[in-house]
Amino acid sequence: MKVAGVILAAGIGTRMRSPLPKVLHSLLGTPMLQYVVDTMAALKPEKLVVVVGRHADRIREAIRGPKALSFVEQREPRGTADALRSAAPVLRSFRGTVLVVNGDCPLLTPDTIRALLTRHRRKKNDLSFLSFLATNPASYGRVIRDGRKKVLSIVEEQDATAEQREIREVNSGVYALEPRVLALLDGIGVNPSKGEYYLTDVVHIARAKGMAVDAFLVGSEAEFIGINTPEDLERAGRLMRTRIVEHWRSRGVSFLDAGSVYISARSKLGGKTVVYPNVHIEGRTEIGSGCTIFPNVRIVDSTIGDGATVKDSTVIERSSIGRNASVGPFAHLRPGSALEEDVKIGNFVEVKNSRIGRGTKASHLSYLGDAEIGKHVNIGAGTITCNYDGYKKHVTRIEDGVFIGSDTQLIAPVKVSRGAVVGAGSTITADVPANALALSRVRQTNIARWAERRRKQEGRNQPKEKPTRK
Ligand code: UD1
Ligand code: CA
């Protein structure tokens, strides 16, 4: 049966005390609204409408969704009922159940919404919503039931009587409703204490019209956290982090200290991968199976092949690493770096926008930028590709089997052809032919007994002693 989804995301989020639209605040690097959109998209709705307010353009830009996704604007944040009414034009032709959720509820899962939908349909309700028992119900609407446990209304904290405030069953902000309920929105009056039109008022209006209304206690409190304050955001972030770690653990990933690991919701990890403490896996990152990620590593929007090792204190951004490659410790792969399998990038090596062929090694202290490096190349310690002339970036090409001696500068654009050797300490300004030796350093001269003569001049026979401390 058909469903449509509406996400209310036009509130100004005053309680966040931040100029950023509330629904764009992020959990593990992803805007909270994106989680809600993904959850709703999992239900394959015919239409998915996000109601946005101020900063509509920023929200549109930041959020990705399925084809069915569209945005409507609520001009003024006049309350949740008004927000849903703004979506009505898009739903006019729709004949099916409408699912409405708050955009500030990022931990909600598709299964919980399905549970609501199943119960809503089984009971042939006009309006159903999910409730839960809150430890601290003050920031939610209380569910008021009559003597026969039938739902009468939802009352917000500031409108509740002392007796109603004792109630722990609260509204989650997840609703399923039939199109005829949408027609009741116009009958909602302004709430005197806040000057807003409350969607929750539709509950008693529907009841008064004799419609079938019900609340279902499904799901856990952790899932229904509505984010109103920075404290809520932090708490939700912690819950999300735990949920993601548990998911990957159940798929065979091991964590030495899960509490210190951050994995974005859009990342993936393969089985038998081991994650050490204090690791951050961000954006859309895919880590293969059998990998080891040592402590203090940050990986952003990157792909790591099976069996690869990322050693301590390494940063990898928008790059890919082939199978069984090894990167770090203290390495930095900047955007656009592509390492093939068995590549080794060692301590204090920075790579940017470069391709590095299979089995190539750059083990120590190098900068490789805008380089195309072939297979089985040895990059000696301290090698620098001088890619920038102060105006433009230039490419360095190093072909298969080349040996670059330590402390070499390659002044790009330049090419070192297949099988060539570059002597240590060279500054390479011209192309090197295949299998040649390139040397650009000054020939060494040894002046016999020079040091001895100098010492004599200075009236000393022995090498200078260590100064003694006074
Ligand atoms: C709302 C419910 C409350 C419920 C709680 C669950 C109402 C009146 N109250 O309270 O019963 O327990 O959610 O978390 O609905 N929004 C708009 N336009 C507006 C106002 C809000 O789109 O004019 C959006 C917000 O962006 C937000 C959602 O609606 O995503 C809920 O608004 P919020 O102000 O957070 O409502 P709560 O006070 O949390
Ligand atoms: Ca809220």
Short mmCIF file of all heavy atoms in Angstrom, two decimals, residues 294-344:
data_model
loop_
_atom_site.label_atom_id
_atom_site.label_comp_id
_atom_site.label_asym_id
_atom_site.label_seq_id
_atom_site.Cartn_x
_atom_site.Cartn_y
_atom_site.Cartn_z
N PHE A 294 45.29 1.54 13.06
CA PHE A 294 45.96 1.80 14.33
C PHE A 294 45.47 3.12 14.95
O PHE A 294 44.69 3.83 14.33
CB PHE A 294 47.48 1.77 14.10
CG PHE A 294 48.01 0.36 14.01
CD1 PHE A 294 48.33 -0.22 12.79
CD2 PHE A 294 48.16 -0.41 15.16
CE1 PHE A 294 48.80 -1.52 12.71
CE2 PHE A 294 48.63 -1.72 15.09
CZ PHE A 294 48.95 -2.27 13.87
N PRO A 295 45.95 3.43 16.17
CA PRO A 295 45.37 4.58 16.89
C PRO A 295 45.55 5.93 16.21
O PRO A 295 46.48 6.12 15.45
CB PRO A 295 46.13 4.58 18.23
CG PRO A 295 46.64 3.21 18.38
CD PRO A 295 46.91 2.71 17.00
N ASN A 296 44.65 6.83 16.55
CA ASN A 296 44.72 8.24 16.15
C ASN A 296 44.70 8.46 14.65
O ASN A 296 45.44 9.28 14.12
CB ASN A 296 45.96 8.92 16.73
CG ASN A 296 46.06 8.71 18.21
OD1 ASN A 296 45.06 8.74 18.91
ND2 ASN A 296 47.26 8.47 18.69
N VAL A 297 43.87 7.72 13.98
CA VAL A 297 43.79 7.84 12.53
C VAL A 297 42.48 8.51 12.17
O VAL A 297 41.45 8.27 12.80
CB VAL A 297 43.87 6.43 11.88
CG1 VAL A 297 43.44 6.46 10.42
CG2 VAL A 297 45.28 5.87 12.02
N ARG A 298 42.51 9.40 11.15
CA ARG A 298 41.27 9.99 10.63
C ARG A 298 41.18 9.70 9.14
O ARG A 298 42.10 10.03 8.38
CB ARG A 298 41.25 11.50 10.88
CG ARG A 298 39.91 12.12 10.54
CD ARG A 298 39.75 13.48 11.21
NE ARG A 298 40.57 14.47 10.56
CZ ARG A 298 40.14 15.24 9.56
NH1 ARG A 298 38.89 15.14 9.13
NH2 ARG A 298 40.93 16.12 9.00
N ILE A 299 40.09 9.08 8.75
CA ILE A 299 39.91 8.72 7.34
C ILE A 299 38.60 9.36 6.87
O ILE A 299 37.55 9.16 7.48
CB ILE A 299 39.83 7.19 7.15
CG1 ILE A 299 41.04 6.52 7.80
CG2 ILE A 299 39.73 6.83 5.67
CD1 ILE A 299 41.02 5.01 7.76
N VAL A 300 38.67 10.16 5.81
CA VAL A 300 37.50 10.89 5.34
C VAL A 300 37.23 10.54 3.88
O VAL A 300 38.13 10.66 3.04
CB VAL A 300 37.76 12.42 5.41
CG1 VAL A 300 36.48 13.20 5.13
CG2 VAL A 300 38.36 12.82 6.75
N ASP A 301 36.00 10.14 3.56
CA ASP A 301 35.59 9.92 2.16
C ASP A 301 36.62 9.13 1.36
O ASP A 301 37.00 9.53 0.27
CB ASP A 301 35.35 11.27 1.45
CG ASP A 301 34.14 11.99 1.99
OD1 ASP A 301 33.14 11.32 2.28
OD2 ASP A 301 34.19 13.23 2.12
N SER A 302 37.08 8.03 1.89
CA SER A 302 38.15 7.28 1.23
C SER A 302 37.82 5.80 1.16
O SER A 302 36.92 5.32 1.84
CB SER A 302 39.47 7.47 1.98
OG SER A 302 39.86 8.83 1.94
N THR A 303 38.57 5.09 0.32
CA THR A 303 38.38 3.65 0.18
C THR A 303 39.67 2.95 0.56
O THR A 303 40.74 3.32 0.07
CB THR A 303 38.06 3.32 -1.30
OG1 THR A 303 37.00 4.17 -1.71
CG2 THR A 303 37.65 1.88 -1.48
N ILE A 304 39.55 1.97 1.41
CA ILE A 304 40.74 1.23 1.87
C ILE A 304 40.54 -0.23 1.47
O ILE A 304 39.55 -0.85 1.86
CB ILE A 304 40.87 1.31 3.41
CG1 ILE A 304 40.68 2.74 3.95
CG2 ILE A 304 42.17 0.69 3.89
CD1 ILE A 304 41.81 3.68 3.76
N GLY A 305 41.47 -0.77 0.70
CA GLY A 305 41.33 -2.14 0.20
C GLY A 305 41.53 -3.19 1.28
O GLY A 305 42.07 -2.91 2.35
N ASP A 306 41.12 -4.41 0.97
CA ASP A 306 41.25 -5.52 1.92
C ASP A 306 42.70 -5.69 2.36
O ASP A 306 43.63 -5.55 1.57
CB ASP A 306 40.82 -6.83 1.25
CG ASP A 306 39.34 -6.85 0.89
OD1 ASP A 306 38.60 -5.99 1.40
OD2 ASP A 306 38.95 -7.70 0.07
N GLY A 307 42.87 -6.00 3.61
CA GLY A 307 44.19 -6.32 4.13
C GLY A 307 45.13 -5.14 4.28
O GLY A 307 46.31 -5.32 4.60
N ALA A 308 44.65 -3.95 4.08
CA ALA A 308 45.53 -2.78 4.20
C ALA A 308 45.76 -2.43 5.67
O ALA A 308 44.97 -2.79 6.54
CB ALA A 308 44.94 -1.60 3.46
N THR A 309 46.86 -1.72 5.91
CA THR A 309 47.20 -1.29 7.27
C THR A 309 47.34 0.22 7.27
O THR A 309 48.03 0.77 6.41
CB THR A 309 48.55 -1.90 7.69
OG1 THR A 309 48.44 -3.32 7.56
CG2 THR A 309 48.90 -1.56 9.12
N VAL A 310 46.68 0.85 8.21
CA VAL A 310 46.88 2.29 8.38
C VAL A 310 47.49 2.47 9.76
O VAL A 310 46.86 2.19 10.77
CB VAL A 310 45.56 3.07 8.25
CG1 VAL A 310 45.81 4.57 8.40
CG2 VAL A 310 44.88 2.78 6.90
N LYS A 311 48.75 2.90 9.77
CA LYS A 311 49.45 3.00 11.05
C LYS A 311 49.16 4.33 11.75
O LYS A 311 48.62 5.25 11.16
CB LYS A 311 50.94 2.80 10.82
CG LYS A 311 51.25 1.36 10.38
CD LYS A 311 52.72 1.14 10.24
CE LYS A 311 52.98 -0.28 9.74
NZ LYS A 311 54.34 -0.40 9.21
N ASP A 312 49.61 4.39 12.98
CA ASP A 312 49.25 5.47 13.92
C ASP A 312 49.33 6.88 13.35
O ASP A 312 50.23 7.19 12.57
CB ASP A 312 50.18 5.41 15.13
CG ASP A 312 50.37 3.99 15.64
OD1 ASP A 312 50.59 3.07 14.82
OD2 ASP A 312 50.29 3.79 16.86
N SER A 313 48.43 7.71 13.81
CA SER A 313 48.45 9.15 13.55
C SER A 313 48.55 9.51 12.07
O SER A 313 49.38 10.31 11.66
CB SER A 313 49.61 9.81 14.31
OG SER A 313 49.44 9.58 15.68
N THR A 314 47.69 8.91 11.30
CA THR A 314 47.67 9.16 9.86
C THR A 314 46.34 9.80 9.48
O THR A 314 45.30 9.48 10.06
CB THR A 314 47.88 7.81 9.12
OG1 THR A 314 49.23 7.41 9.34
CG2 THR A 314 47.60 7.90 7.64
N VAL A 315 46.39 10.72 8.50
CA VAL A 315 45.17 11.36 8.00
C VAL A 315 45.01 11.00 6.52
O VAL A 315 45.95 11.15 5.75
CB VAL A 315 45.24 12.90 8.16
CG1 VAL A 315 43.99 13.56 7.58
CG2 VAL A 315 45.42 13.28 9.62
N ILE A 316 43.84 10.52 6.17
CA ILE A 316 43.57 10.13 4.77
C ILE A 316 42.30 10.83 4.32
O ILE A 316 41.25 10.64 4.92
CB ILE A 316 43.42 8.60 4.67
CG1 ILE A 316 44.70 7.92 5.14
CG2 ILE A 316 43.04 8.17 3.25
CD1 ILE A 316 44.60 6.41 5.24
N GLU A 317 42.40 11.65 3.28
CA GLU A 317 41.23 12.41 2.83
C GLU A 317 40.97 12.15 1.35
O GLU A 317 41.88 12.29 0.53
CB GLU A 317 41.48 13.91 2.99
CG GLU A 317 41.84 14.33 4.39
CD GLU A 317 42.49 15.71 4.41
OE1 GLU A 317 43.64 15.85 3.94
OE2 GLU A 317 41.82 16.63 4.86
N ARG A 318 39.73 11.82 1.01
CA ARG A 318 39.29 11.62 -0.39
C ARG A 318 40.34 10.90 -1.23
O ARG A 318 40.76 11.37 -2.27
CB ARG A 318 38.94 12.97 -1.02
CG ARG A 318 37.78 13.68 -0.33
CD ARG A 318 36.87 14.43 -1.30
NE ARG A 318 37.55 15.35 -2.18
CZ ARG A 318 37.85 16.62 -1.87
NH1 ARG A 318 37.52 17.11 -0.72
NH2 ARG A 318 38.44 17.37 -2.76
N SER A 319 40.76 9.75 -0.74
CA SER A 319 41.81 9.00 -1.42
C SER A 319 41.44 7.52 -1.46
O SER A 319 40.49 7.11 -0.80
CB SER A 319 43.13 9.18 -0.67
OG SER A 319 43.59 10.51 -0.81
N SER A 320 42.19 6.75 -2.22
CA SER A 320 41.95 5.31 -2.21
C SER A 320 43.27 4.58 -2.01
O SER A 320 44.32 5.02 -2.47
CB SER A 320 41.27 4.87 -3.50
OG SER A 320 42.16 5.02 -4.57
N ILE A 321 43.15 3.46 -1.32
CA ILE A 321 44.33 2.66 -0.99
C ILE A 321 44.05 1.23 -1.43
O ILE A 321 43.01 0.68 -1.09
CB ILE A 321 44.54 2.69 0.55
CG1 ILE A 321 44.88 4.10 0.99
CG2 ILE A 321 45.63 1.73 0.97
CD1 ILE A 321 45.06 4.23 2.46
N GLY A 322 44.98 0.66 -2.17
CA GLY A 322 44.76 -0.69 -2.68
C GLY A 322 44.94 -1.76 -1.62
O GLY A 322 45.33 -1.48 -0.48
N ARG A 323 44.67 -2.99 -2.04
CA ARG A 323 44.78 -4.13 -1.11
C ARG A 323 46.19 -4.24 -0.56
O ARG A 323 47.16 -4.01 -1.28
CB ARG A 323 44.46 -5.42 -1.87
CG ARG A 323 43.04 -5.50 -2.37
CD ARG A 323 42.98 -6.48 -3.51
NE ARG A 323 43.48 -7.76 -3.05
CZ ARG A 323 42.73 -8.84 -2.88
NH1 ARG A 323 41.45 -8.79 -3.16
NH2 ARG A 323 43.25 -9.95 -2.46
N ASN A 324 46.26 -4.63 0.68
CA ASN A 324 47.53 -4.90 1.37
C ASN A 324 48.51 -3.74 1.37
O ASN A 324 49.69 -3.95 1.63
CB ASN A 324 48.21 -6.14 0.76
CG ASN A 324 47.32 -7.36 0.87
OD1 ASN A 324 46.64 -7.54 1.88
ND2 ASN A 324 47.30 -8.17 -0.17
N ALA A 325 48.05 -2.57 1.08
CA ALA A 325 48.94 -1.41 1.15
C ALA A 325 49.14 -1.04 2.61
O ALA A 325 48.39 -1.49 3.49
CB ALA A 325 48.34 -0.25 0.38
N SER A 326 50.16 -0.23 2.87
CA SER A 326 50.43 0.21 4.23
C SER A 326 50.73 1.70 4.21
O SER A 326 51.52 2.17 3.41
CB SER A 326 51.61 -0.59 4.78
OG SER A 326 52.05 -0.01 5.98
N VAL A 327 50.07 2.42 5.10
CA VAL A 327 50.23 3.87 5.14
C VAL A 327 50.50 4.28 6.58
O VAL A 327 49.81 3.85 7.49
CB VAL A 327 48.96 4.57 4.63
CG1 VAL A 327 49.11 6.09 4.69
CG2 VAL A 327 48.64 4.15 3.21
N GLY A 328 51.50 5.14 6.77
CA GLY A 328 51.80 5.64 8.10
C GLY A 328 52.94 4.87 8.72
O GLY A 328 53.53 4.01 8.07
N PRO A 329 53.31 5.19 9.96
CA PRO A 329 52.70 6.18 10.85
C PRO A 329 52.98 7.61 10.40
O PRO A 329 53.90 7.83 9.63
CB PRO A 329 53.38 5.90 12.20
CG PRO A 329 54.73 5.34 11.82
CD PRO A 329 54.47 4.53 10.58
N PHE A 330 52.17 8.54 10.89
CA PHE A 330 52.35 9.97 10.63
C PHE A 330 52.38 10.29 9.15
O PHE A 330 53.25 11.02 8.68
CB PHE A 330 53.62 10.49 11.31
CG PHE A 330 53.65 10.26 12.79
CD1 PHE A 330 54.38 9.22 13.33
CD2 PHE A 330 52.90 11.05 13.64
CE1 PHE A 330 54.38 8.98 14.69
CE2 PHE A 330 52.90 10.83 14.99
CZ PHE A 330 53.63 9.78 15.53
N ALA A 331 51.48 9.73 8.39
CA ALA A 331 51.41 10.05 6.96
C ALA A 331 50.15 10.87 6.70
O ALA A 331 49.22 10.86 7.51
CB ALA A 331 51.37 8.77 6.14
N HIS A 332 50.15 11.57 5.59
CA HIS A 332 48.99 12.38 5.22
C HIS A 332 48.70 12.16 3.74
O HIS A 332 49.49 12.54 2.89
CB HIS A 332 49.32 13.87 5.48
CG HIS A 332 48.15 14.77 5.31
ND1 HIS A 332 48.23 16.14 5.43
CD2 HIS A 332 46.85 14.51 5.02
CE1 HIS A 332 47.04 16.68 5.23
NE2 HIS A 332 46.19 15.71 4.98
N LEU A 333 47.56 11.53 3.47
CA LEU A 333 47.13 11.39 2.09
C LEU A 333 46.07 12.44 1.85
O LEU A 333 44.97 12.37 2.41
CB LEU A 333 46.53 10.01 1.81
CG LEU A 333 47.41 8.79 2.08
CD1 LEU A 333 46.73 7.53 1.53
CD2 LEU A 333 48.79 8.94 1.44
N ARG A 334 46.41 13.44 1.05
CA ARG A 334 45.45 14.51 0.78
C ARG A 334 44.58 14.15 -0.42
O ARG A 334 44.85 13.17 -1.12
CB ARG A 334 46.22 15.81 0.58
CG ARG A 334 46.81 16.30 1.92
CD ARG A 334 47.80 17.42 1.73
NE ARG A 334 47.23 18.46 0.89
CZ ARG A 334 47.96 19.31 0.16
NH1 ARG A 334 49.28 19.21 0.17
NH2 ARG A 334 47.37 20.23 -0.58
N PRO A 335 43.52 14.93 -0.66
CA PRO A 335 42.56 14.53 -1.68
C PRO A 335 43.18 14.15 -3.03
O PRO A 335 44.14 14.78 -3.49
CB PRO A 335 41.67 15.76 -1.80
CG PRO A 335 41.69 16.35 -0.43
CD PRO A 335 43.09 16.14 0.06
N GLY A 336 42.59 13.14 -3.63
CA GLY A 336 43.00 12.73 -4.97
C GLY A 336 44.19 11.79 -5.00
O GLY A 336 44.80 11.61 -6.05
N SER A 337 44.52 11.17 -3.91
CA SER A 337 45.63 10.22 -3.92
C SER A 337 45.08 8.82 -4.15
O SER A 337 44.14 8.41 -3.49
CB SER A 337 46.39 10.27 -2.60
OG SER A 337 46.86 11.58 -2.38
N ALA A 338 45.68 8.12 -5.09
CA ALA A 338 45.24 6.76 -5.38
C ALA A 338 46.43 5.83 -5.30
O ALA A 338 47.35 5.93 -6.11
CB ALA A 338 44.59 6.69 -6.76
N LEU A 339 46.41 4.97 -4.30
CA LEU A 339 47.52 4.04 -4.11
C LEU A 339 47.07 2.66 -4.56
O LEU A 339 46.02 2.18 -4.12
CB LEU A 339 47.88 3.97 -2.62
CG LEU A 339 48.77 5.06 -2.02
CD1 LEU A 339 48.30 6.45 -2.38
CD2 LEU A 339 48.83 4.92 -0.50
N GLU A 340 47.84 2.02 -5.42
CA GLU A 340 47.47 0.66 -5.84
C GLU A 340 47.89 -0.33 -4.76
O GLU A 340 48.45 0.05 -3.72
CB GLU A 340 48.13 0.33 -7.17
CG GLU A 340 47.50 1.12 -8.31
CD GLU A 340 48.14 0.82 -9.66
OE1 GLU A 340 49.04 -0.06 -9.73
OE2 GLU A 340 47.76 1.48 -10.64
N GLU A 341 47.67 -1.61 -5.05
CA GLU A 341 47.95 -2.58 -3.99
C GLU A 341 49.43 -2.66 -3.65
O GLU A 341 50.30 -2.31 -4.45
CB GLU A 341 47.38 -3.96 -4.36
CG GLU A 341 47.81 -4.48 -5.69
CD GLU A 341 47.06 -5.75 -6.04
OE1 GLU A 341 45.97 -5.65 -6.61
OE2 GLU A 341 47.57 -6.84 -5.71
N ASP A 342 49.70 -3.10 -2.45
CA ASP A 342 51.06 -3.31 -1.94
C ASP A 342 51.93 -2.05 -1.90
O ASP A 342 53.14 -2.14 -1.77
CB ASP A 342 51.81 -4.39 -2.75
CG ASP A 342 51.11 -5.73 -2.66
OD1 ASP A 342 50.64 -6.08 -1.56
OD2 ASP A 342 51.01 -6.43 -3.69
N VAL A 343 51.33 -0.90 -2.02
CA VAL A 343 52.12 0.33 -1.91
C VAL A 343 52.47 0.54 -0.45
O VAL A 343 51.70 0.20 0.45
CB VAL A 343 51.31 1.53 -2.46
CG1 VAL A 343 51.89 2.87 -2.01
CG2 VAL A 343 51.23 1.45 -3.98
N LYS A 344 53.64 1.11 -0.20
CA LYS A 344 53.99 1.45 1.17
C LYS A 344 54.31 2.94 1.29
O LYS A 344 55.19 3.44 0.59
CB LYS A 344 55.21 0.63 1.62
CG LYS A 344 55.51 0.91 3.07
CD LYS A 344 56.70 0.20 3.60
CE LYS A 344 56.90 0.71 5.03
NZ LYS A 344 58.29 0.81 5.38
#
